[in-house]
Amino acid sequence: MLKYIAHKNQELHEHLEGVAELAKIHAEKIGMGNYGELLGLLHDFGKYGAEFQKYITDALKKGDPQFNPDEDEEFEDPAGKKGKIDHSTAGAQFLSCKNGSSNAHKMLGQFLSLCLVSHHSGLINCLTTDNSGTWDSYSRRLSKNDNKTHKEECVRNIDEYILERINAILAERSFTKPFEVACRDIVRASPETNPLSTVAQFQLGLLTRFLFSALIDADRQDTADSEKPKTARHRQQGLYRSWQTLIDRFEEGYKSFGTKNRVDEIRKEVSTHCLNAASRTKGLFTLTVPTGGGKTLASLRFALHHAKEYDLDRIIYVIPFTTIIDQNAQIVREILEPKECPKDSGKIVLEHHSNIGADVQSWKEKLLTENWDAPVIYTTMVQLLEALFGAGTRGARRMHQLAKAVIVFDEIQTLPIKCVHLFNNGINFLVDHCGSTIVLCTATQPLLGSVDEKKGTLKLSEENELMPDVGRLFDDLKRVHVHDCRKSPGWAYPEIAALAIRQVKENGSCLVVANTRKATRIIFEETKRDGIEVFHLSTGMCPAHRKQTLKTIRQKLDDKEPILCVSTQLIEAGVDVSFRSVIRMLAGLDSIAQAAGRCNRHGSPDMGNVFVVNPAEENLDSLRDIAVGKEKTNRVLDDYKSDPSKYNSDIIGPKMLEWYYQNYFYERKDFMDYPVYANRNDTLLNLLSSNNNAASDFQRANKTMPAINLRQSFMTAAKLFKSIDAPTQSVIVRYGDEGRELVNQLCSAFEVEKQYALIKKAQQYSVNLFPYEFEKLAQENALYRVQKETEIFYLDYPYYSKITGVSLEPVRREEQFKDGYIDS
């Protein structure tokens, strides 16, 4: 009997069985275990061909240090052949030959075949459009010549019992039933109850991606474990500490939080409501709590108890920015991974984001991060959206972990406007078809349930809210007066600075929040002239720098010292500080409300004051969302002036925010389906659903519509998808003694484990630069590689200010570090 090889140290039948077993478990989450098993058994069907076996055998020979190619006449150097031998199509062709004649068989066949032919590339296009036209690339792939796919040869060579199992699954009388039920449910849940509608087609595409995720995660895991069997035992495979154990730890930790004032009492009430709501039926929820109301831990309390109630697999906490993920995850880690349980360290709370060096991980952490193998995940909106819509296979392999989960979105109002319909359809799919519960947390709920239903809206009502009386909660937590200080022609920067200084002198502390780094720096320079102690905060400062600055600010606020801080919007997202006064440059009303959350945060009886000012000079050309938000805030503030009682006399209350979002969302409705401009004007929503433009092009050229059920351009859409507009690149800065020493060590570290530990630490000393900033600093010769072969850079001293962070030009000598030390 011939021995067929899949990888080094693994025979092909072992690999097919291993992948089938894992993929079945993953797909069974949505009742499609048989399809997962079938995909696992067929995905490497093409490796039974002689051409692939020759390639893998020669590759193994070449990797053997004892092998002499001159002594083997049959040896052919495999260099250059990797990825060139098609072993993915044969299984799809075999499956298409076995399809029944019913529409369900044909449609299911396309779903499964797409997963098979795509398992190394990411989902391929069904229809492809380029400058030469549009064609049915899926059918073209499946009609590939047998002398390239070797399907007939593989049928002859396959292990008999593997073939028998494949045929047994296909022969089951109820083979198509789970698929038919899912399709029927998707169509019934779509607003037009039409299988060809945008929402239905989008959801069917997500179903394909889910099965694809089940396959590729199983494939990657089984392959990795065969190559490094010793690491396999470190996988948790869902065998986590029980939810009851984690609940006990949380409740014990929660007891330690004291009740010092009325705000603390309200936070406890919020937490109690979340606890009581945990037994509600799984579904979609909102948690609308004013800033400072304790929603972070309250939502986690809900998630833990809810996960236990419904035996869910994991909790995924989605944070908008990497700037706050560390602090949030650390608070929870201290509760759920207590020091007295050292074996749980690193196994309960897993962070996954895209900071510098995110790809350079210890093998243990990489093992868990690859497919979110932990009970509590802290990740970013970027990573979550990549799992649902991103290119390739790395993000997609995590999608199946979104099933049977509690997913909590913190500060949901930060969702990029262009992603609204993609997000809504994705959330509906997870709730309606994957058994997950979603919680949308914020003080300023965007109207995701009030957008175009035919493109995808969330099914939200008052019953979805976890708080019994949001209006009363806002009244109880009202801690500030908001003053509309707009004037014509606007405030000059020196005037804003003078107002800030006056507030410090009258009330003891003031925070100024600007829309741009440039405005932040100008006002900062203006206020310094008065002799008051002034601090600067922006994303141009590395996390270690910001943390140190915030620590100093908090200490001075606690000590009641006069203090002024000038910051960009970064301070609005979950940063726990409390000033007596806040000045917010005109922006979206949601941003103004978030800024107000940094004023009188702990509920002093003396109300705080928030001043909304309109700068006379401000360039928002590249910040379209802020510009539109600013324009719509102008409108609703004018409405408020005419009749405050219509809005319960609260400028940042729920009624005003609802009216603001109605205006803002109406203005931005044409951007919510993610417009793209490749080959022609289109949207990602269309490319990932009915794909009407491509289908019409195909019909014009061929006088008939494509003869396939799914028409999505999956790969084109995934490559065009970016969950944030501007890609950034991290650079390390030599902030203080530790930053200087860190760069020195990175430049001399050659061991992978040592590099990993240093790069992990470097996240605290890195700044994300936009492409134009990176190019400008490169032209200034201000960037250096830590080692020749890496893409990790560090910044020269003169381009980092110990006060304001990264500068595109050399900063004043007194702002620089001398030899890495802070020059005081």
Side-chain angles (χ1 to χ4, degrees):
M1 217 177 138
L2 287 173
K3 180 179 175 183
Y4 294 94
I5 301 168
H7 309 104
K8 182 182 178 181
N9 301 329
Q10 191 178 37
E11 291 186 38
L12 183 51
H13 71 93
E14 294 174 327
H15 179 57
L16 297 182
E17 289 177 283
V19 175
E21 183 181 354
L22 289 171
K24 181 175 184 177
I25 293 169
H26 300 334
E28 192 53 50
K29 292 180 181 182
I30 58 170
M32 295 188 176
N34 272 2
Y35 304 152
E37 183 181 2
L38 185 62
L39 289 170
L41 294 173
L42 281 171
H43 80 288
D44 277 354
F45 184 82
K47 289 186 177 180
Y48 279 106
E51 185 181 13
F52 184 87
Q53 288 302 309
K54 179 77 170 66
Y55 158 73
I56 192 72
T57 302
D58 287 338
L60 293 174
K61 286 178 181 177
K62 188 176 180 180
D64 183 353
Q66 306 298 320
F67 175 67
N68 183 352
D70 296 330
E71 296 175 0
D72 188 337
E73 293 181 0
E74 295 183 0
F75 175 78
E76 295 176 17
D77 193 337
K81 290 185 180 179
K82 187 172 183 181
K84 301 287 177 66
I85 299 172
D86 182 355
H87 69 270
S88 303
T89 306
Q93 289 179 328
F94 175 86
L95 185 61
S96 67
C97 292
K98 294 284 186 177
N99 268 348
S101 58
S102 72
N103 287 334
H105 272 96
K106 290 176 182 176
M107 193 170 174
L108 176 56
Q110 187 186 355
F111 276 61
L112 299 178
S113 296
L114 269 170
C115 297
L116 293 170
V117 298
S118 305
H119 78 272
H120 281 289
S121 61
L123 283 174
I124 67 166
N125 289 335
C126 299
L127 296 181
T128 297
T129 300
D130 65 13
N131 294 329
S132 63
T134 297
W135 67 94
D136 176 353
S137 41
Y138 165 75
S139 298
R140 185 179 294 185
R141 177 69 178 268
L142 259 70
S143 62
K144 204 170 178 181
N145 198 292
D146 190 69
N147 63 15
K148 292 186 177 179
T149 67
H150 311 290
K151 189 256 297 182
E152 295 301 329
E153 179 190 3
C154 294
V155 173
R156 293 192 299 271
N157 293 345
I158 189 171
D159 289 278
E160 189 174 338
Y161 73 98
I162 297 281
L163 184 60
E164 286 176 358
R165 179 58 188 151
I166 291 170
N167 286 329
I169 295 173
L170 291 170
E172 288 181 9
R173 290 182 64 183
S174 60
F175 174 63
T176 63
K177 187 172 181 182
F179 177 72
E180 291 178 70
V181 169
C183 291
R184 184 193 65 217
D185 290 347
I186 283 172
V187 172
R188 284 179 176 173
S190 67
E192 299 174 87
T193 60
N194 175 357
L196 299 178
S197 70
T198 295
V199 169
Q201 285 294 309
F202 193 95
Q203 301 271 3
L204 292 171
L206 286 173
L207 178 60
T208 307
R209 188 172 172 99
F210 189 96
L211 292 171
F212 176 64
S213 172
L215 170 62
I216 56 174
D217 186 36
D219 182 28
R220 303 303 186 266
Q221 182 178 322
D222 187 75
T223 301
D225 290 353
S226 74
E227 291 174 353
K228 296 178 180 177
K230 288 184 180 178
T231 66
R233 65 174 179 266
H234 291 277
R235 292 189 190 276
Q236 300 195 79
Q237 298 280 38
L239 300 174
Y240 311 136
R241 286 277 181 254
S242 70
W243 289 123
Q244 188 59 57
T245 299
L246 299 185
I247 286 170
D248 291 344
R249 291 177 184 178
F250 179 88
E251 295 298 337
E252 189 61 34
Y254 194 73
K255 289 177 186 174
S256 65
F257 295 106
T259 305
K260 302 173 185 174
N261 49 46
R262 176 58 181 150
V263 171
D264 286 340
E265 290 173 4
I266 294 171
R267 288 169 183 158
K268 294 238 173 184
E269 290 173 18
V270 169
S271 179
T272 300
H273 287 309
C274 285
L275 174 62
N276 294 338
S279 58
R280 287 200 204 176
T281 304
K282 288 187 295 178
L284 174 62
F285 299 100
T286 55
L287 176 57
T288 310
V289 176
T291 52
K295 63 182 177 294
T296 301
L297 286 179
S299 60
L300 181 62
R301 194 180 200 185
F302 167 88
L304 287 167
H305 286 271
H306 191 75
K308 177 180 180 288
E309 179 82 13
Y310 291 100
D311 192 26
L312 301 180
D313 292 345
R314 60 186 41 77
I315 295 166
I316 301 173
Y317 222 100
V318 184
I319 308 287
F321 309 116
T322 57
T323 50
I324 57 171
I325 196 170
D326 292 341
Q327 70 179 32
N328 287 26
Q330 186 56 36
I331 292 168
V332 175
R333 184 177 288 112
E334 288 171 1
I335 297 172
L336 300 185
E337 297 178 6
K339 291 178 181 177
E340 58 268 24
C341 303
K343 289 184 179 179
D344 286 344
S345 179
K347 291 184 177 179
I348 306 296
V349 181
L350 180 69
E351 291 177 58
H352 180 221
H353 44 67
S354 54
N355 277 346
I356 187 170
D359 292 335
V360 185
Q361 300 172 303
S362 73
W363 63 265
K364 284 185 182 178
E365 187 170 16
K366 191 169 188 292
L367 211 63
L368 304 181
T369 302
E370 283 172 340
N371 63 353
W372 287 345
D373 184 13
V376 181
I377 310 293
Y378 271 80
T379 191
T380 59
M381 181 67 84
V382 170
Q383 295 294 338
L384 188 284
L385 293 172
E386 284 289 330
L388 288 170
F389 310 115
T393 60
R394 184 158 52 177
R397 72 176 289 191
R398 302 183 184 104
M399 182 186 171
H400 71 91
Q401 300 288 46
L402 300 175
K404 289 189 66 183
V406 186
I407 308 175
V408 181
F409 290 89
D410 193 20
E411 308 294 2
I412 187 58
Q413 81 282 352
T414 61
L415 174 73
I417 196 76
K418 64 183 179 179
C419 294
V420 164
H421 288 304
L422 301 187
F423 178 83
N424 285 353
N425 286 306
I427 294 305
N428 287 336
F429 179 77
L430 294 173
V431 171
D432 293 342
H433 311 294
C434 298
S436 291
T437 283
I438 308 293
V439 184
L440 307 178
C441 293
T442 181
T444 52
Q445 287 286 352
L447 302 180
L448 298 177
S450 303
V451 295
D452 190 340
E453 188 181 30
K454 292 182 179 179
K455 292 182 178 181
T457 185
L458 291 186
K459 299 159 190 174
L460 289 169
S461 70
E462 289 184 9
E463 295 174 1
N464 299 87
E465 177 58 50
L466 296 181
M467 291 299 103
D469 189 343
V470 171
R472 186 181 66 80
L473 184 60
F474 271 74
D475 290 341
D476 289 347
L477 275 172
K478 188 169 182 179
R479 295 156 294 174
V480 300
H481 291 301
V482 180
H483 306 277
D484 179 1
C485 299
R486 294 171 300 152
K487 65 180 183 179
S488 180
W491 289 67
Y493 289 132
E495 290 181 297
I496 297 172
L499 174 62
I501 291 164
R502 194 159 62 248
Q503 285 303 308
V504 174
K505 289 178 178 177
E506 291 176 6
N507 297 304
S509 64
C510 181
L511 167 68
V512 181
V513 184
N515 292 320
T516 65
R517 281 191 200 173
K518 181 180 179 182
T520 304
R521 180 71 192 241
I522 292 171
I523 295 170
F524 172 76
E525 294 291 346
E526 285 286 342
T527 54
K528 275 170 53 181
R529 297 175 185 173
D530 199 81
I532 288 174
E533 190 161 21
V534 187
F535 293 86
H536 173 282
L537 281 172
S538 80
T539 52
M541 301 157 66
C542 68
H545 191 174
R546 291 200 301 267
K547 282 181 182 177
Q548 183 57 50
T549 302
L550 280 167
K551 182 180 178 183
T552 305
I553 289 170
R554 288 190 184 105
Q555 188 59 57
K556 289 183 177 293
L557 288 169
D558 289 344
D559 294 342
K560 303 289 191 285
E561 293 184 30
I563 184 174
L564 173 60
C565 176
V566 187
S567 176
T568 61
Q569 309 96 297
L570 75 86
I571 203 165
E572 294 172 354
V575 178
D576 187 7
V577 287
S578 182
F579 290 84
R580 289 300 308 154
S581 300
V582 169
I583 299 169
R584 183 58 169 97
M585 289 203 196
L586 190 63
L589 193 66
D590 56 333
S591 294
I592 293 169
Q594 293 292 337
R598 313 310 128 191
C599 183
N600 192 21
R601 192 171 177 84
H602 305 302
S604 165
D606 297 326
M607 297 286 272
N609 291 289
V610 177
F611 304 89
V612 179
V613 300
N614 55 327
E617 295 179 32
E618 189 175 46
N619 184 358
L620 298 177
D621 290 348
S622 60
L623 298 169
R624 180 64 182 157
D625 288 347
I626 294 177
V628 174
K630 179 178 173 178
E631 177 195 341
K632 297 309 167 189
T633 299
N634 262 324
R635 176 177 176 177
V636 299
L637 288 179
D638 289 345
D639 288 349
Y640 181 87
K641 267 185 179 179
S642 64
D643 187 2
S645 64
K646 271 172 58 180
Y647 306 100
N648 292 341
S649 298
D650 188 350
I651 285 183
I652 54 172
K655 287 193 173 182
M656 266 292 278
L657 284 162
E658 183 177 352
W659 179 224
Y660 162 74
Y661 272 121
Q662 284 177 9
N663 281 271
Y664 178 71
F665 271 29
Y666 180 82
E667 174 72 21
R668 303 295 279 160
K669 66 182 186 298
D670 293 335
F671 294 87
M672 293 180 182
D673 48 7
Y674 205 126
V676 291
Y677 309 98
N679 303 319
R680 59 157 159 252
N681 293 349
D682 212 330
T683 69
L684 287 197
L685 182 68
N686 179 54
L687 289 170
L688 289 171
S689 56
S690 48
N691 211 0
N692 291 326
N693 293 338
S696 297
D697 285 352
F698 183 94
Q699 185 181 33
R700 277 193 293 271
N702 299 279
K703 311 305 178 190
T704 182
M705 290 295 279
I708 49 178
N709 291 288
L710 292 176
R711 298 169 180 172
Q712 288 88 338
S713 296
F714 289 113
M715 185 167 283
T716 299
K719 288 180 178 177
L720 291 170
F721 174 75
K722 291 185 180 66
S723 52
I724 50 175
D725 284 315
T728 58
Q729 178 152 355
S730 292
V731 296
I732 303 169
V733 298
R734 290 180 284 187
Y735 171 73
D737 296 353
E738 286 198 10
R740 173 184 59 83
E741 185 58 29
L742 176 66
V743 169
N744 290 344
Q745 290 176 344
L746 273 169
C747 290
S748 59
F750 295 98
E751 298 171 21
V752 174
E753 283 295 319
K754 189 175 181 184
Q755 281 182 7
Y756 159 73
L758 291 169
I759 289 172
K760 181 95 172 169
K761 188 177 180 183
Q763 292 175 5
Q764 293 300 309
Y765 295 87
S766 64
V767 175
N768 291 327
L769 301 178
F770 293 113
Y772 79 91
E773 294 174 314
F774 189 87
E775 289 168 15
K776 174 75 164 57
L777 290 168
Q779 290 170 2
E780 295 278 327
N781 296 316
L783 298 173
Y784 305 94
R785 280 184 169 83
V786 295
Q787 291 185 17
K788 282 185 180 179
E789 303 302 318
T790 71
E791 290 299 310
I792 298 174
F793 295 84
Y794 66 94
L795 185 65
D796 202 2
Y797 286 126
Y799 295 86
Y800 193 84
S801 162
K802 64 187 179 186
I803 301 169
T804 59
V806 170
S807 171
L808 300 185
E809 297 173 352
V811 299
R812 295 188 293 262
R813 184 67 186 167
E814 61 268 23
E815 287 187 33
Q816 294 179 25
F817 294 106
K818 288 185 179 178
D819 300 321
Y821 295 90
I822 297 177
D823 177 19
S824 58

